[in-house]
Amino acid sequence: MAEPRPRATHLAAAVGRRIPATLIFVAIMLAVGVAFAGLWSPFEDSALFDNVAYGLPALVEGRWWTPIIGTFFVNQPWVYVFTIASFAGMAYLEFRRGWRVALAYFWIGQLFAVFASALLLWGLSATGWTWAVTEAAALDVGASGGTMACIAAAVGLLAAPWRVRAWLVLLSFVFIAMLFWGELADLEHAFAVVLILFVDRSLRLQRQTVREQRLVAFVAITSLAIIEVITLIVPTNGPFGPTQPAGDGIWDVAIDVAIVVFVAQGLRRGRRWAWVISVVLASLNVLLGTTILALVIITTELQVESILDGETELAIATGFLWLMLLVYLVWVRGAFRARRRSTIGRAPAPTVDDVKTMLHADGGGTLSWMTTWEGNTYARTTTGIVAYQRRAGVALALADPVGPAASRPESVREFIRGAEDAGLVPCFFSAGEATKDAVPAGWRSIVVADDTIVDLPGLQFTGKAWGPVRTALNRAGREDMTFRVTRLKDEPWGIQQQVRAISEMWVGDKGLPEMGFTLGTLVEAEDPEVRLALALSPAGDVDGFLSWLPVHGGDGTVHGWTLDLMRRRDGGFGPVMEFLIGSSAKLFSEEGAKIMSLSGAPLAHDYPPDAGAIAILSERLAEMLEPVYGFASLHRFKEKFHPRYETMYLLFRDESDLTRIGAGLTRAFLPEASLRQFAGAGLELVRGDRD
């Protein structure tokens, strides 16, 4: 019996069926390379080159077939690597829009690039411009005009904001190559890309966010630093003339680059001082380039170079690039208002008492009381408050905004604007569906947990499904266990010390400090509005305890409770947690509470089969963290109480923010952890993974 083909083979075959035109093009080019020896010897040195190469001379002499025939040849063997790779854009375009569209973009782009370049060079060469005269006599082969058009069209299919970023990279590439190398192929690339830019109109800078405006400025000024390094070590020969490596100016360039990199970081964060310095630098470079250009026109290039002891062409070319950056910086000047100590929100800054007052009046979600914990900062919006922590350049908002339910979407938008104006990365952690619906279009979301909610009205522990809970309650009765709901500060010193000893023992086993942010400690349990559920043995020992956070309903009453701390004593009553939670549920139900939240276990979400890479990553992290924190085990334990689930999300702008958000979350959850403790926890993860 024949073995089934591997999954990778099936995938490759399926992809091949989606991009037949691209594969045929690549096959023809390789076949031509073999037939005419272009794969191993320079084709431009062969006698056939002049008969198939396109360019102004070929068109003037009537070789009309060259723009088509020349497409399938490559001038140097090493160029095949880049030529084949450039067909990736056509493959993506064909995969998304079909072979007809891909072929149309390729051939229109290729022919337009060839004919437009020839026409421009024909007109400019009549002026006697040295560069234009040289390139007007040049010939070229290859498919790069068509493939660049396909790449530009493929970029237009990307999701925002990656579309704008990819367009900026592509335009930077073609124009820098044109300005500093300026060969016929570079001119063709520029024409192909500009054609698609105007035809597709997929680059819409007027819709940029503040974050994107800062990113464009960052990329632009960094690119100028890279250009300075390149021209330091590589000779160039663009439209402005040839340049030679600056042999003795390496230290000047190194200092310039260091300054530009420092300023670029400030631009990325929207700092006002960085914008001012950038405008000054750009103005000086534009002034220098303009002055040199004027002197060259008035006198001669040799006279100017003898005076300046430098390359006039390089100064003029970089001056042009600085001019474009200067215009852009002035245009988007409003994006650079952030200062180092910028605050978010309206004045006066809220206090924790303001947050509690608003929770009492307007209610909140199951995690809202966590916003009152130490470590949070508060941003006042028009009608609400957003609790957040400032970590690693991230404004990490906790849960949903506090305030009237109808105005919470506007609070979300105000917080995002405020964070971006302050140069911070905005995101929401453990947010609900309402906040997810309120963030701007294009924001990404990752499921971080499922809030487990038990509805209390009419709750009865009857039936087979409630057997484990009922068994725990019955056993507690037989063994004379005592259940008591109290406040930690109201308990005698001995009980408080037992509670602290149990908690410290639990933390000591983890190798890391107690986690914070959405996971409380005994400090938070001391709040008089937080209730403590105790399980006491007949001897008066604390066998376990829970802390419950209030969930306010907006009418001045508490309509539910959220589980925070869960701790048990080693060697105590076995099913103490089932006993504590079951007894708490009965008490809260009798008091008239509507819900009881058992909180969400991080990384324990049940993803659908088509969830993709996010599900795979989440499941892998859950497997690694299980030996240390037991999130999956906790999730399975909570299922004994048959809760319903409400999804909790991490909401963020796009994937480029995830590195900084990850660092921010690490510090939010473990603000006191040392490098040694992280290393010890990492060793525990490795051991658990091996097991």
Side-chain angles (χ1 to χ4, degrees):
M1 183 176 179
E3 294 184 1
R5 289 192 299 169
R7 184 177 180 181
T9 304
H10 286 290
L11 180 61
V15 172
R17 288 191 293 270
R18 295 287 298 274
I19 56 171
T22 304
L23 295 178
I24 291 172
F25 255 98
V26 172
I28 292 174
M29 296 197 72
L30 292 175
V32 170
V34 171
F36 295 94
L39 276 170
W40 53 84
S41 62
F43 178 70
E44 63 186 6
D45 295 337
S46 70
L48 186 62
F49 181 78
D50 287 343
N51 293 322
V52 301
Y54 48 76
L56 182 59
L59 296 175
V60 170
E61 295 172 12
R63 296 195 296 273
W64 55 266
W65 59 85
T66 54
I68 297 177
I69 300 300
T71 297
F72 299 99
F73 291 83
V74 175
N75 60 343
Q76 291 280 353
W78 60 270
V79 179
Y80 271 98
V81 175
F82 299 99
T83 300
I84 301 303
S86 69
F87 274 95
M90 182 177 178
Y92 181 75
L93 183 62
E94 184 178 6
F95 189 86
R96 290 283 304 273
R97 300 190 62 185
W99 64 269
R100 291 182 179 86
V101 172
L103 284 178
Y105 272 99
F106 177 86
W107 280 116
I108 292 174
Q110 176 75 2
L111 296 177
F112 178 81
V114 172
F115 288 114
S117 298
L119 180 62
L120 178 67
L121 292 172
W122 174 74
L124 293 178
S125 61
T127 66
W129 188 357
T130 303
W131 168 80
V133 172
T134 301
E135 297 306 321
L139 293 172
D140 191 22
V141 293
S144 58
T147 56
M148 290 299 290
C150 288
I151 290 173
V155 164
L157 297 177
L158 298 179
W162 297 104
R163 184 190 311 117
V164 172
R165 298 171 187 175
W167 262 119
L168 293 173
V169 171
L170 183 59
L171 291 171
S172 299
F173 169 76
V174 295
F175 282 114
I176 289 173
M178 182 64 209
L179 284 173
F180 289 95
W181 284 272
E183 295 183 352
L184 178 58
D186 299 317
L187 181 59
E188 292 164 351
H189 299 165
F191 269 119
V193 171
V194 169
L195 171 67
I196 305 305
L197 178 66
F198 281 98
V199 170
D200 279 9
R201 297 184 180 181
S202 57
L203 178 61
R204 301 182 178 92
L205 292 179
Q206 71 273 19
R207 298 183 182 180
Q208 280 185 303
T209 63
V210 169
R211 184 264 191 107
E212 292 301 310
Q213 292 171 352
R214 292 169 178 171
L215 184 61
V216 170
F218 168 79
V219 171
I221 200 169
T222 303
S223 299
L224 288 169
I226 294 172
I227 289 170
E228 191 167 355
V229 173
I230 291 174
T231 54
L232 173 70
I233 58 178
V234 179
T236 67
N237 189 13
F240 295 99
T243 67
Q244 296 299 321
D248 57 353
I250 186 170
W251 288 111
D252 291 339
V253 173
I255 294 172
D256 291 346
V257 170
I259 293 173
V260 169
V261 170
F262 177 69
V263 172
Q265 288 295 329
L267 288 177
R268 185 173 62 86
R269 298 186 177 184
R271 305 300 189 204
R272 193 66 176 178
W273 63 262
W275 181 86
V276 172
I277 293 176
S278 299
V279 168
V280 172
L281 284 174
S283 300
L284 291 175
N285 279 276
V286 171
L287 180 62
L288 176 62
T290 304
T291 303
I292 291 175
L293 179 60
L295 290 175
V296 168
I297 294 173
I298 295 172
T299 60
T300 65
E301 183 178 349
L302 290 177
Q303 288 178 315
V304 176
E305 288 188 350
S306 65
I307 297 173
L308 296 179
D309 189 26
E311 298 284 358
T312 57
E313 297 87 355
L314 182 60
I316 295 172
T318 54
F320 176 72
L321 294 176
W322 278 103
L323 176 61
M324 291 194 296
L325 176 60
L326 178 60
V327 171
Y328 184 77
L329 287 174
V330 174
W331 180 35
V332 298
R333 59 190 178 278
F336 302 95
R337 296 174 178 172
R339 291 176 172 81
R340 187 171 182 82
R341 298 296 178 185
S342 297
T343 58
I344 302 176
R346 299 166 176 262
T351 65
V352 66
D353 291 334
D354 294 331
V355 177
K356 290 183 177 181
T357 299
M358 192 165 285
L359 283 174
H360 293 157
D362 302 306
T366 55
L367 300 188
S368 292
W369 192 258
M370 297 178 184
T371 63
T372 67
W373 291 352
E374 186 178 357
N376 290 316
T377 305
Y378 304 108
R380 186 185 298 278
T381 64
T382 302
T383 56
I385 296 173
V386 178
Y388 71 98
Q389 294 193 13
R390 191 168 183 159
R391 306 280 185 178
V394 179
L396 197 59
L398 172 58
D400 302 312
V402 178
S407 66
R408 289 173 192 169
E410 181 57 31
S411 292
V412 170
R413 292 186 284 270
E414 287 186 34
F415 174 77
I416 292 172
R417 288 195 298 269
E420 290 182 335
D421 288 344
L424 301 173
V425 174
C427 76
F428 290 84
F429 185 78
S430 293
E433 291 287 347
T435 300
K436 180 173 179 285
D437 293 338
V439 297
W443 268 50
R444 314 294 199 258
S445 64
I446 296 177
V447 177
V448 292
D450 287 320
D451 194 4
T452 50
I453 298 175
V454 179
D455 293 309
L456 297 178
L459 178 65
Q460 297 290 331
F461 299 134
T462 58
K464 184 178 180 181
W466 289 98
V469 177
R470 195 166 55 249
T471 299
L473 295 174
N474 293 336
R475 179 179 168 184
R478 292 194 301 270
E479 297 186 18
D480 294 327
M481 293 293 298
T482 301
F483 169 77
R484 182 164 76 231
V485 172
T486 180
R487 266 76 179 177
L488 181 59
K489 286 294 188 180
D490 294 340
E491 289 299 304
W493 180 85
I495 296 295
Q496 292 188 36
Q497 290 304 110
Q498 288 189 62
V499 167
R500 290 190 171 88
I502 292 171
S503 186
E504 289 169 2
M505 184 179 299
W506 184 88
V507 173
D509 290 339
K510 301 301 177 186
L512 284 171
E514 280 189 285
M515 297 178 75
F517 199 38
T518 62
L519 299 169
T521 66
L522 285 179
V523 173
E524 287 74 33
E526 291 177 350
D527 190 304
E529 295 195 52
V530 175
R531 302 174 80 176
L532 192 72
L534 297 174
L536 303 173
S537 70
D541 297 326
V542 178
D543 277 7
F545 67 90
L546 310 174
S547 66
W548 294 99
L549 311 178
V551 180
H552 292 276
D555 54 359
T557 63
V558 174
H559 86 142
W561 298 91
T562 296
L563 177 62
D564 183 24
L565 292 178
M566 295 176 63
R567 302 286 189 267
R568 60 177 300 160
R569 180 172 65 86
D570 289 342
F573 180 63
V576 65
M577 289 303 155
E578 291 88 341
F579 167 58
L580 281 170
I581 294 176
S583 300
S584 297
K586 288 176 61 178
L587 175 64
F588 296 154
S589 179
E590 292 168 357
E591 291 176 345
K594 301 295 188 296
I595 62 168
M596 179 180 74
S597 170
L598 302 182
S599 296
L603 302 174
H605 179 71
D606 293 327
Y607 289 92
D610 59 347
I614 293 298
I616 296 172
L617 176 62
S618 177
E619 290 169 359
R620 181 60 178 162
L621 286 174
E623 292 173 2
M624 293 176 62
L625 290 171
E626 184 63 20
V628 179
Y629 285 108
F631 291 139
S633 301
L634 180 61
H635 185 70
R636 289 192 297 271
F637 168 78
K638 293 176 180 179
E639 289 179 343
K640 295 181 180 180
F641 299 90
H642 311 290
R644 57 181 171 87
Y645 298 102
E646 292 186 0
T647 306
M648 303 163 73
Y649 300 94
L650 169 66
L651 306 173
F652 57 100
R653 296 179 300 192
D654 61 68
E655 294 78 6
S656 63
D657 286 339
L658 283 178
T659 301
R660 295 173 69 185
I661 290 173
L665 283 171
T666 300
R667 275 302 162 196
F669 276 110
L670 295 165
E672 306 298 330
S674 64
L675 290 176
R676 183 175 180 180
Q677 288 172 318
F678 277 122
L683 181 60
E684 184 71 19
L685 293 180
V686 172
R687 288 172 177 167
D689 188 45
R690 287 175 179 172
D691 292 341

